[in-house]
Amino acid sequence: GPGMLATDDAAAYVEPRDEAAVVSDIAAAMRDLAENPTRAEAISVKARALAEARFRWDDVAASWTAAYPE
C-alpha cells in the first residue's frame, strides 16, 4: 500500500523503481504472504484497524462534500 497510508506491520512495501522490479517485488511479497499465513493474518488485522481508524465513513463523506460541493 502507499507509504503514507500504512505502517510496516500493516503492508507489504514495494519500491517503485521500474515496472519489472515492481512486478517482481509484488510477486515476491505475495509469495511471502502465501507461505506465511500468520504474517498475512497479522498484516490483514492491522491494516483493517488502520483503515477503520483513519477512514471513517463520516470523515470520508465530509471530505468529499468539501471537495465536490455541487
Side-chain angles (χ1 to χ4, degrees):
M4 65 185 188
L5 297 179
T7 61
D8 288 337
D9 59 345
Y13 287 101
V14 173
E15 187 68 35
R17 296 170 291 180
D18 60 60
E19 184 177 352
V22 168
V23 170
S24 176
D25 291 350
I26 288 174
M30 292 172 69
R31 189 170 29 258
D32 176 60
L33 294 174
E35 293 172 355
N36 297 290
T38 301
R39 175 172 154 69
E41 179 65 17
I43 285 175
S44 173
V45 168
K46 181 68 173 182
R48 181 175 180 133
L50 281 170
E52 288 176 345
R54 291 184 182 175
F55 302 105
R56 293 179 322 121
W57 176 245
D58 291 344
D59 297 336
V60 172
S63 72
W64 287 8
T65 300
Y68 305 102
E70 295 178 20

